[in-house]
mmCIF file of all heavy atoms in Angstrom:
data_model
loop_
_atom_site.group_PDB
_atom_site.id
_atom_site.type_symbol
_atom_site.label_atom_id
_atom_site.label_comp_id
_atom_site.label_asym_id
_atom_site.label_seq_id
_atom_site.Cartn_x
_atom_site.Cartn_y
_atom_site.Cartn_z
ATOM 1 N N GLY Z 508 66.990 -12.345 -131.653
ATOM 2 C CA GLY Z 508 67.231 -13.738 -131.740
ATOM 3 C C GLY Z 508 66.422 -14.523 -130.692
ATOM 4 O O GLY Z 508 65.884 -15.628 -130.957
ATOM 5 N N ALA Z 509 66.230 -13.987 -129.508
ATOM 6 C CA ALA Z 509 65.474 -14.635 -128.524
ATOM 7 C C ALA Z 509 63.954 -14.742 -128.828
ATOM 8 O O ALA Z 509 63.297 -15.737 -128.563
ATOM 9 C CB ALA Z 509 65.604 -13.880 -127.164
ATOM 10 N N ARG Z 510 63.441 -13.754 -129.553
ATOM 11 C CA ARG Z 510 62.073 -13.854 -130.006
ATOM 12 C C ARG Z 510 61.924 -14.935 -131.045
ATOM 13 O O ARG Z 510 60.928 -15.649 -131.021
ATOM 14 C CB ARG Z 510 61.648 -12.527 -130.663
ATOM 15 C CG ARG Z 510 61.219 -11.492 -129.632
ATOM 16 C CD ARG Z 510 60.403 -10.301 -130.228
ATOM 17 N NE ARG Z 510 61.154 -9.549 -131.159
ATOM 18 C CZ ARG Z 510 61.886 -8.509 -130.892
ATOM 19 N NH1 ARG Z 510 62.030 -8.097 -129.655
ATOM 20 N NH2 ARG Z 510 62.527 -7.820 -131.885
ATOM 21 N N VAL Z 511 62.877 -15.030 -131.955
ATOM 22 C CA VAL Z 511 62.802 -16.158 -132.954
ATOM 23 C C VAL Z 511 62.871 -17.517 -132.285
ATOM 24 O O VAL Z 511 62.093 -18.396 -132.529
ATOM 25 C CB VAL Z 511 63.996 -15.995 -133.970
ATOM 26 C CG1 VAL Z 511 64.069 -17.238 -134.874
ATOM 27 C CG2 VAL Z 511 63.836 -14.757 -134.820
ATOM 28 N N ALA Z 512 63.799 -17.632 -131.388
ATOM 29 C CA ALA Z 512 63.870 -18.960 -130.631
ATOM 30 C C ALA Z 512 62.661 -19.197 -129.726
ATOM 31 O O ALA Z 512 62.248 -20.313 -129.622
ATOM 32 C CB ALA Z 512 65.154 -18.963 -129.792
ATOM 33 N N GLY Z 513 62.153 -18.143 -129.162
ATOM 34 C CA GLY Z 513 60.985 -18.245 -128.227
ATOM 35 C C GLY Z 513 59.768 -18.727 -129.004
ATOM 36 O O GLY Z 513 58.919 -19.381 -128.444
ATOM 37 N N ARG Z 514 59.585 -18.247 -130.278
ATOM 38 C CA ARG Z 514 58.415 -18.726 -130.984
ATOM 39 C C ARG Z 514 58.364 -20.229 -131.180
ATOM 40 O O ARG Z 514 57.247 -20.781 -131.251
ATOM 41 C CB ARG Z 514 58.477 -18.122 -132.493
ATOM 42 C CG ARG Z 514 58.062 -16.609 -132.454
ATOM 43 C CD ARG Z 514 57.866 -16.140 -133.894
ATOM 44 N NE ARG Z 514 58.983 -16.248 -134.746
ATOM 45 C CZ ARG Z 514 59.667 -15.258 -135.264
ATOM 46 N NH1 ARG Z 514 59.209 -14.104 -135.081
ATOM 47 N NH2 ARG Z 514 60.742 -15.432 -136.043
ATOM 48 N N ASP Z 515 59.519 -20.881 -131.197
ATOM 49 C CA ASP Z 515 59.546 -22.306 -131.317
ATOM 50 C C ASP Z 515 59.641 -22.980 -129.955
ATOM 51 O O ASP Z 515 59.766 -24.257 -129.875
ATOM 52 C CB ASP Z 515 60.685 -22.803 -132.202
ATOM 53 C CG ASP Z 515 60.428 -22.577 -133.641
ATOM 54 O OD1 ASP Z 515 59.187 -22.293 -134.046
ATOM 55 O OD2 ASP Z 515 61.325 -22.677 -134.494
ATOM 56 N N GLY Z 516 59.672 -22.229 -128.942
ATOM 57 C CA GLY Z 516 59.704 -22.759 -127.529
ATOM 58 C C GLY Z 516 61.048 -23.381 -127.155
ATOM 59 O O GLY Z 516 61.038 -24.281 -126.307
ATOM 60 N N ILE Z 517 62.111 -22.980 -127.799
ATOM 61 C CA ILE Z 517 63.356 -23.629 -127.518
ATOM 62 C C ILE Z 517 64.395 -22.740 -126.755
ATOM 63 O O ILE Z 517 65.458 -23.153 -126.471
ATOM 64 C CB ILE Z 517 64.104 -24.110 -128.833
ATOM 65 C CG1 ILE Z 517 64.465 -22.952 -129.737
ATOM 66 C CG2 ILE Z 517 63.253 -25.146 -129.542
ATOM 67 C CD1 ILE Z 517 65.404 -23.276 -130.797
ATOM 68 N N LEU Z 518 63.959 -21.497 -126.405
ATOM 69 C CA LEU Z 518 64.864 -20.616 -125.705
ATOM 70 C C LEU Z 518 65.030 -21.053 -124.323
ATOM 71 O O LEU Z 518 64.034 -21.174 -123.574
ATOM 72 C CB LEU Z 518 64.363 -19.175 -125.813
ATOM 73 C CG LEU Z 518 65.181 -18.119 -125.039
ATOM 74 C CD1 LEU Z 518 66.564 -17.998 -125.740
ATOM 75 C CD2 LEU Z 518 64.529 -16.824 -124.993
ATOM 76 N N VAL Z 519 66.233 -21.299 -123.808
ATOM 77 C CA VAL Z 519 66.525 -21.651 -122.445
ATOM 78 C C VAL Z 519 66.871 -20.373 -121.655
ATOM 79 O O VAL Z 519 66.381 -20.167 -120.606
ATOM 80 C CB VAL Z 519 67.615 -22.737 -122.378
ATOM 81 C CG1 VAL Z 519 67.932 -22.973 -120.887
ATOM 82 C CG2 VAL Z 519 67.171 -24.006 -123.055
ATOM 83 N N ASP Z 520 67.813 -19.605 -122.233
ATOM 84 C CA ASP Z 520 68.238 -18.364 -121.565
ATOM 85 C C ASP Z 520 68.978 -17.545 -122.555
ATOM 86 O O ASP Z 520 69.283 -17.905 -123.635
ATOM 87 C CB ASP Z 520 69.152 -18.759 -120.402
ATOM 88 C CG ASP Z 520 69.292 -17.682 -119.350
ATOM 89 O OD1 ASP Z 520 68.651 -16.566 -119.478
ATOM 90 O OD2 ASP Z 520 69.957 -17.828 -118.315
ATOM 91 N N ARG Z 521 69.262 -16.327 -122.134
ATOM 92 C CA ARG Z 521 70.048 -15.404 -122.967
ATOM 93 C C ARG Z 521 70.900 -14.496 -122.006
ATOM 94 O O ARG Z 521 70.469 -14.301 -120.922
ATOM 95 C CB ARG Z 521 69.188 -14.600 -123.850
ATOM 96 C CG ARG Z 521 68.219 -13.766 -123.095
ATOM 97 C CD ARG Z 521 67.304 -13.020 -123.975
ATOM 98 N NE ARG Z 521 66.123 -12.440 -123.227
ATOM 99 C CZ ARG Z 521 65.168 -11.846 -123.739
ATOM 100 N NH1 ARG Z 521 65.140 -11.694 -125.085
ATOM 101 N NH2 ARG Z 521 64.229 -11.347 -123.044
ATOM 102 N N ALA Z 522 71.980 -13.990 -122.499
ATOM 103 C CA ALA Z 522 72.806 -13.137 -121.738
ATOM 104 C C ALA Z 522 73.650 -12.247 -122.615
ATOM 105 O O ALA Z 522 74.066 -12.643 -123.733
ATOM 106 C CB ALA Z 522 73.722 -13.984 -120.882
ATOM 107 N N VAL Z 523 73.887 -11.062 -122.146
ATOM 108 C CA VAL Z 523 74.817 -10.144 -122.783
ATOM 109 C C VAL Z 523 75.901 -9.852 -121.754
ATOM 110 O O VAL Z 523 75.539 -9.492 -120.651
ATOM 111 C CB VAL Z 523 74.100 -8.806 -123.244
ATOM 112 C CG1 VAL Z 523 75.099 -7.782 -123.749
ATOM 113 C CG2 VAL Z 523 73.108 -9.096 -124.261
ATOM 114 N N ILE Z 524 77.144 -10.018 -122.145
ATOM 115 C CA ILE Z 524 78.216 -9.728 -121.150
ATOM 116 C C ILE Z 524 79.069 -8.524 -121.619
ATOM 117 O O ILE Z 524 79.773 -8.722 -122.597
ATOM 118 C CB ILE Z 524 79.144 -11.032 -121.064
ATOM 119 C CG1 ILE Z 524 78.338 -12.254 -120.665
ATOM 120 C CG2 ILE Z 524 80.303 -10.731 -120.063
ATOM 121 C CD1 ILE Z 524 79.050 -13.525 -120.712
ATOM 122 N N PRO Z 525 78.823 -7.414 -121.027
ATOM 123 C CA PRO Z 525 79.597 -6.198 -121.407
ATOM 124 C C PRO Z 525 81.059 -6.402 -121.059
ATOM 125 O O PRO Z 525 81.306 -6.801 -119.994
ATOM 126 C CB PRO Z 525 78.978 -5.055 -120.670
ATOM 127 C CG PRO Z 525 77.687 -5.593 -120.199
ATOM 128 C CD PRO Z 525 77.848 -7.110 -120.019
ATOM 129 N N ARG Z 526 81.938 -6.068 -121.968
ATOM 130 C CA ARG Z 526 83.397 -6.173 -121.761
ATOM 131 C C ARG Z 526 83.799 -7.483 -121.120
ATOM 132 O O ARG Z 526 84.322 -7.507 -120.001
ATOM 133 C CB ARG Z 526 83.862 -4.957 -120.932
ATOM 134 C CG ARG Z 526 83.714 -3.680 -121.661
ATOM 135 C CD ARG Z 526 84.177 -2.545 -120.834
ATOM 136 N NE ARG Z 526 83.363 -2.535 -119.575
ATOM 137 C CZ ARG Z 526 83.356 -1.547 -118.706
ATOM 138 N NH1 ARG Z 526 84.158 -0.554 -118.830
ATOM 139 N NH2 ARG Z 526 82.632 -1.568 -117.653
ATOM 140 N N PRO Z 527 83.653 -8.566 -121.797
ATOM 141 C CA PRO Z 527 84.030 -9.842 -121.208
ATOM 142 C C PRO Z 527 85.572 -9.863 -120.948
ATOM 143 O O PRO Z 527 86.322 -9.218 -121.621
ATOM 144 C CB PRO Z 527 83.714 -10.866 -122.249
ATOM 145 C CG PRO Z 527 83.566 -10.137 -123.507
ATOM 146 C CD PRO Z 527 83.144 -8.704 -123.151
ATOM 147 N N SER Z 528 86.008 -10.615 -119.932
ATOM 148 C CA SER Z 528 87.397 -10.730 -119.622
ATOM 149 C C SER Z 528 88.172 -11.342 -120.794
ATOM 150 O O SER Z 528 87.575 -12.157 -121.580
ATOM 151 C CB SER Z 528 87.610 -11.496 -118.361
ATOM 152 O OG SER Z 528 87.296 -12.894 -118.582
ATOM 153 N N LYS Z 529 89.490 -11.123 -120.876
ATOM 154 C CA LYS Z 529 90.271 -11.717 -121.855
ATOM 155 C C LYS Z 529 90.259 -13.252 -121.729
ATOM 156 O O LYS Z 529 90.300 -13.991 -122.778
ATOM 157 C CB LYS Z 529 91.659 -11.231 -121.808
ATOM 158 C CG LYS Z 529 91.849 -9.750 -122.225
ATOM 159 C CD LYS Z 529 93.233 -9.330 -122.138
ATOM 160 C CE LYS Z 529 93.300 -7.810 -122.520
ATOM 161 N NZ LYS Z 529 94.618 -7.283 -122.312
ATOM 162 N N GLU Z 530 90.202 -13.735 -120.557
ATOM 163 C CA GLU Z 530 90.235 -15.197 -120.267
ATOM 164 C C GLU Z 530 88.920 -15.847 -120.826
ATOM 165 O O GLU Z 530 88.999 -16.852 -121.465
ATOM 166 C CB GLU Z 530 90.311 -15.467 -118.744
ATOM 167 C CG GLU Z 530 91.685 -15.101 -118.138
ATOM 168 C CD GLU Z 530 91.784 -13.617 -117.843
ATOM 169 O OE1 GLU Z 530 90.715 -12.846 -117.836
ATOM 170 O OE2 GLU Z 530 92.941 -13.161 -117.550
ATOM 171 N N LEU Z 531 87.832 -15.199 -120.624
ATOM 172 C CA LEU Z 531 86.536 -15.672 -121.208
ATOM 173 C C LEU Z 531 86.597 -15.680 -122.658
ATOM 174 O O LEU Z 531 86.147 -16.668 -123.372
ATOM 175 C CB LEU Z 531 85.365 -14.877 -120.639
ATOM 176 C CG LEU Z 531 83.985 -15.321 -121.174
ATOM 177 C CD1 LEU Z 531 83.679 -16.748 -120.685
ATOM 178 C CD2 LEU Z 531 82.936 -14.336 -120.695
#
Side-chain angles (χ1 to χ4, degrees):
R510 278 197 299 272
V511 171
R514 284 194 297 244
D515 285 347
I517 64 164
L518 179 65
V519 174
D520 202 357
R521 61 183 167 185
V523 173
I524 304 172
R526 294 181 300 190
S528 69
K529 291 179 183 177
E530 293 81 12
L531 179 62

